[in-house]
Amino acid sequence: MPTITNPILPGFNPDPSICRVGEDYYIATSTFEWFPGVQIHHSRDLANWDLVCRPLTRKTQLDMRGDPDSCGVWAPDISYADGLFWLVYTDVKRKDGSFKDAHNYIVTAPSIEGPWSDPIYINSSGFDPSLFHDDDGRKWFVNMLWDHRTRPLKFAGIALQEFDPASGKLIGPVTNIYQGTDLKLVEGPHLYKRNGWYYLLTAEGGTAYEHACTFARSRTIDGQYETHPDKHILTSKDAPFAAIQRAGHGDLVETPEGKTYLVHLGGRPTTQNRRCVLGRETSIQEAYWGDDDWIHVKQGPVPSLHVEVPGTRNDTPYWSEQRYSFADGELHQDFQWLRTPEPERIFALEDGKLRLFGRESIGSWFEQSLVARRQTHFSYDAETTLSFDPVDERTMAGLTAYYSRYNFFYLAVTAHSDGQRELLLMSSEMSWPDGNLRFPAEPVQIPQTGKLKLALSIRGAALQFYYALEGEAMQPIGPVLDASILSDECGGHQAHGSFTGAFVGVAAQDLNGTARPADFDYFIYRPEHHASDRYEI
């Protein structure tokens, strides 16, 4: 069979759940605070994947205004039964501190493109829910249990309860079926049935460098579950030099020919400081069932960079320049925005341009005008042209490399308090103790009228911004900046607390509250090979 290089979904695509319908495979991944919610990719050969939809598109399904960074949609689960796709997801409203507010829902659709139903609320006892369709027609809902008392564990185990689709409610007793191993932090449950065994795949160790896939089984669905003889069927925790780190949170799928594959999240840290700028990505491993009815990863528990799959991957689209035009009045599916189900308040596609309406500050958890795409390469260039007429220092618009509220770089067209238009380079780096803005360069006065071309170049951890006035050549502005802060490891939380990835895009703010517009003519994302890049596809 052909060999591909992991990951199969590069860039921020964590917590994969996979299902097969006939010859078609679907993977759902987490989107956290980015809207619309949940990414679903499709493949027919496990090698080539295309984004087919983001099903949570309207306010009745998802409203994340106020959700903190790395909250929102966690760990969706996708399955197919009874002629429907079933999508289970969590909307996390609070994650820091002793408490978590995590609300679990189910939506369904007759086809992957939709229409997707309004959600059924299920419970809020924990996160990472999934739905198991048993061969007797019954359905079972599992999620991790959260115990704010830590008595004895915050990650208290895996809860099982029957789901009645007719009433849309959980019925019967709640059973804590599995408390995990000594690695702790058990989460991410998925149930399977094979040869009279119920199998439970979980994630353990947190989502940093101790992450793992743990496997267990029982003759009855409600336990007792015995842990796999190897405990963890996949992990990088004991292999610090493996290409794929942080490996865990997986799901299983079987091909029509009977081969088994495990999809899982992982990160590719930079060599200098073990920072995963591309976030947690989705990779794939071939697995097999032993004579003892236990599963094993074919190339061993350490995730492999190179894996055999049925198809041959076409890498041309991945390395092609993407020039996004707004002339057709549609926002390309590569782009997302933050939190709000009312995008008409933050942007419009008018007169062949992307028009942003200045709203709250960059990093706001409520309503900020920021439209961006994932960084999916270690090195790339980005460029746009902007028309904007600021009135003072509280109105600004420009180009941003963004991770979260406290981790971003921003080159903005703004004005001084006297109305003089200027370019202002800003950075926010959580490594600085106060979390306040820094200004790495002196502001550059620019003419009061005319378009500005703004660009940035990232080569590994080195970030350089550029600008050009109309009819003039591009020139750098500011020093070379440290792009590696746009990573989970620098996201403003402890090791297990930041969950997204770097984005690049455009933004506009009007802190006066008048929604001053900014027009962007196009957006270019150009991947680049670079000597500092490690384990690039």
Side-chain angles (χ1 to χ4, degrees):
M1 287 195 299
T3 298
I4 63 164
T5 302
N6 275 315
I8 53 172
L9 300 181
F12 160 47
N13 279 288
D15 310 323
S17 170
I18 190 168
C19 74
R20 179 177 61 84
V21 183
E23 300 287 330
D24 298 288
Y25 300 92
Y26 300 96
I27 289 179
T29 53
S30 300
T31 43
F32 294 88
E33 65 264 36
W34 291 91
F35 201 95
V38 180
Q39 296 214 124
I40 298 180
H41 285 81
H42 166 258
S43 177
R44 291 181 66 88
D45 59 10
L46 297 177
N48 299 284
W49 294 88
D50 296 307
L51 180 64
V52 289
C53 72
R54 295 191 186 99
L56 307 180
T57 60
R58 57 187 186 270
K59 186 177 180 180
T60 55
Q61 296 171 321
L62 184 66
D63 188 344
M64 299 182 290
R65 286 173 288 194
D67 287 11
D69 291 335
S70 288
C71 287
V73 175
W74 286 17
D77 170 74
I78 190 168
S79 59
Y80 184 82
D82 311 322
L84 291 173
F85 286 95
W86 302 74
L87 182 68
V88 188
Y89 64 98
T90 308
D91 180 10
V92 177
K93 300 299 185 185
R94 174 190 174 179
K95 72 174 184 63
D96 293 331
S98 296
F99 290 97
K100 280 187 171 47
D101 296 311
H103 310 309
N104 297 319
Y105 302 92
I106 296 176
V107 293
T108 60
S111 73
I112 203 69
E113 293 85 6
W116 288 89
S117 67
D118 280 343
I120 300 169
Y121 169 74
I122 302 298
N123 68 12
S124 300
S125 59
F127 49 86
D128 292 2
S130 69
L131 188 64
F132 173 65
H133 310 272
D134 208 342
D135 52 17
D136 62 0
R138 298 170 78 182
K139 301 184 188 300
W140 297 89
F141 193 88
V142 287
N143 60 270
M144 68 77 64
L145 279 172
W146 183 259
D147 186 348
H148 58 277
R149 309 165 305 164
T150 318
R151 195 184 295 174
L153 300 168
K154 275 193 168 69
F155 288 70
I158 303 302
L160 171 80
Q161 192 172 7
E162 188 172 359
F163 172 69
D164 175 25
S167 65
K169 296 183 182 300
L170 297 177
I171 59 173
V174 180
T175 307
N176 188 336
I177 59 172
Y178 188 64
Q179 291 77 50
T181 72
D182 55 355
L183 190 56
K184 299 182 182 178
L185 308 180
V186 63
E187 58 184 343
H190 292 288
L191 279 168
Y192 316 91
K193 193 174 186 181
R194 182 182 185 272
N195 290 349
W197 290 100
Y198 289 94
Y199 292 95
L200 178 65
L201 176 60
T202 65
E204 286 193 291
T207 194
Y209 290 87
E210 296 295 305
H211 209 23
C213 289
T214 303
F215 209 59
R217 72 183 182 187
S218 170
R219 285 296 187 185
T220 60
I221 196 167
D222 57 354
Q224 291 187 340
Y225 282 82
E226 62 171 315
T227 300
H228 193 289
D230 299 331
K231 283 190 185 178
H232 316 300
I233 63 170
L234 186 84
T235 184
S236 308
K237 68 185 181 66
D238 303 312
F241 299 107
I244 299 171
Q245 292 292 309
R246 307 171 63 187
H249 201 122
D251 197 6
L252 297 172
V253 71
E254 190 171 280
T255 69
E257 296 75 31
K259 285 185 176 292
T260 302
Y261 284 88
L262 169 72
V263 294
H264 64 93
L265 68 78
R268 292 177 290 165
T270 55
T271 55
Q272 302 94 327
N273 44 26
R274 286 172 72 84
R275 292 177 178 176
C276 295
V277 174
L278 302 187
R280 298 170 304 152
E281 307 169 292
T282 291
S283 292
I284 192 167
Q285 309 294 330
E286 187 176 353
Y288 67 93
W289 293 92
D291 294 338
D292 56 359
D293 282 331
W294 283 113
I295 200 168
H296 304 270
V297 172
K298 185 177 178 180
Q299 298 185 64
V302 177
S304 299
L305 191 63
H306 305 292
V307 178
E308 291 184 347
V309 297
T312 300
R313 182 157 63 195
N314 175 15
D315 284 332
T316 300
Y318 176 75
W319 286 109
S320 297
E321 175 180 303
Q322 299 296 316
R323 184 181 180 95
Y324 302 100
S325 168
F326 307 119
D328 61 2
E330 300 240 344
L331 187 67
H332 193 280
Q333 66 176 3
D334 286 352
F335 290 98
Q336 288 183 272
W337 57 95
L338 287 161
R339 296 180 176 86
T340 179
E342 297 179 341
E344 66 278 4
R345 285 186 49 82
I346 62 172
F347 71 85
L349 290 135
E350 298 179 354
D351 303 322
K353 304 179 190 305
L354 173 62
R355 175 165 295 168
L356 298 188
F357 305 109
R359 295 294 180 186
E360 294 176 343
S361 59
I362 188 168
S364 168
W365 290 346
F366 290 87
E367 189 176 56
Q368 61 163 309
S369 297
L370 189 154
V371 175
R373 59 151 288 164
R374 283 160 177 75
Q375 177 181 341
T376 50
H377 303 75
F378 290 110
S379 297
Y380 72 93
D381 298 327
E383 177 188 309
T384 189
T385 295
L386 163 65
S387 300
F388 183 55
D389 182 21
V391 295
D392 60 20
E393 67 272 27
R394 286 171 293 278
T395 51
M396 65 198 87
L399 178 67
T400 183
Y402 186 91
Y403 182 91
S404 67
R405 166 180 282 194
Y406 294 117
N407 294 76
F408 62 83
F409 299 99
Y410 188 22
L411 178 59
V413 177
T414 183
H416 188 43
S417 53
D418 61 5
Q420 171 62 51
R421 204 162 70 138
E422 65 182 28
L423 273 173
L424 186 63
L425 181 59
M426 294 168 272
S427 72
S428 179
E429 305 173 37
M430 199 60 191
S431 57
W432 282 66
D434 56 10
N436 287 331
L437 278 178
R438 294 174 59 221
F439 302 95
E442 291 296 317
V444 176
Q445 289 193 358
I446 54 176
Q448 292 298 94
T449 60
K451 294 183 179 182
L452 270 293
K453 183 179 288 185
L454 306 179
L456 64 81
S457 173
I458 285 181
R459 298 294 182 269
L463 164 61
Q464 178 68 63
F465 278 95
Y466 300 86
Y467 78 97
L469 303 176
E470 278 191 286
E472 296 188 10
M474 200 82 82
Q475 57 184 305
I477 180 171
V480 174
L481 300 165
D482 181 8
S484 73
I485 72 154
L486 305 174
S487 60
D488 296 347
E489 291 80 1
C490 300
H493 300 90
Q494 295 176 348
H496 306 288
S498 296
F499 305 136
T500 57
F503 281 68
V504 61
V506 294
Q509 292 74 40
D510 185 343
L511 307 184
N512 296 317
T514 63
R516 198 162 190 85
D519 288 343
F520 297 86
D521 293 349
Y522 62 87
F523 191 86
I524 291 174
Y525 179 92
R526 183 184 306 111
E528 295 287 345
H529 289 282
H530 189 255
S532 67
D533 298 343
R534 186 166 177 253
Y535 307 126
E536 188 71 89
I537 292 173

